[in-house]
């Protein structure tokens, strides 16, 4: 796992990437939140490729449960990826609504993710 540190508006943001899936379950999300928080970060950016494909199947409720953990622990999250490949209207609506808020954002690039974190 690689972590790149970004500082925006006195907030420490961890850009996390790996060659493997980092979040396959709620427990994985909790472990990652704890790890990143322990290292002094206020927010996290992860890549779509590091989330299990099940995350993007809203029917199984994994995304909702994982994102609830980020909310509960007040760890902002941005997910960077190519989301247009998903044909799910409910997923596209979910992404649209998430991007209206500040807690969870979906972005097409690291620059967009950092811009969202700056708000």
């Amino acid at each position: 796992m690689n972590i790149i540190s970004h500082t925006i508006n006195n907030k420490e943001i961890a850009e996390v990437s790996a060659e493997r899936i980092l979040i396959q379950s709620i427990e994985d999300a909790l472990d990652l939140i704890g790890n990143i928080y322990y290292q002094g970060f206020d927010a996290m950016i992860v890549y779509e490729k590091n989330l299990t494909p099940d995350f993007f199947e809203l029917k199984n409720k994994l995304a909702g449960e994982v994102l609830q953990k980020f909310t509960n622990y007040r760890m902002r999250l941005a997910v960077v990826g190519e989301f247009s490949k998903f044909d799910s209207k409910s997923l596209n609506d979910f992404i649209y609504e998430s991007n209206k808020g500040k807690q969870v954002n979906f972005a097409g690039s690291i620059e967009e993710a950092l811009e969202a974190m700056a708000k």
Side-chain angles (χ1 to χ4, degrees):
M1 179 171 67
N2 298 317
I3 300 172
I4 298 172
S5 179
H6 301 274
T7 304
I8 298 176
N9 299 334
N10 295 321
K11 301 278 186 197
E12 294 296 322
I13 301 164
E15 177 187 345
V16 181
S17 65
E19 293 302 317
R20 62 182 179 84
I21 292 176
L22 296 172
I23 298 178
Q24 293 189 41
S25 66
I26 298 164
E27 292 77 20
D28 291 342
L30 286 170
D31 288 346
L32 188 58
I33 291 167
N35 183 341
I36 297 302
Y37 180 79
Y38 180 76
Q39 293 185 52
F41 292 99
D42 304 298
M44 185 184 324
I45 298 170
V46 297
Y47 289 86
E48 170 199 344
K49 70 178 185 172
N50 298 127
L51 300 173
T52 179
D54 291 342
F55 182 89
F56 299 98
E57 293 288 332
L58 296 182
K59 292 180 282 192
N60 65 28
K61 301 182 182 179
L62 180 62
E65 292 174 359
V66 165
L67 297 180
Q68 186 63 50
K69 296 301 180 195
F70 277 88
T71 300
N72 289 350
Y73 291 97
R74 296 188 175 119
M75 174 71 66
R76 290 186 64 193
L77 174 68
V79 180
V80 174
E82 177 53 53
F83 306 107
S84 63
K85 66 184 172 192
F86 297 107
D87 292 335
S88 169
K89 180 179 177 350
S90 58
L91 178 62
N92 289 326
D93 291 346
F94 179 78
I95 290 171
Y96 177 78
E97 290 300 321
S98 293
N99 286 347
K100 285 183 175 181
K102 290 184 177 182
Q103 185 63 39
V104 177
N105 295 101
F106 293 84
S109 67
I110 188 65
E111 293 80 16
E112 285 179 31
L114 291 169
E115 185 178 315
M117 293 287 186
K119 295 179 184 176

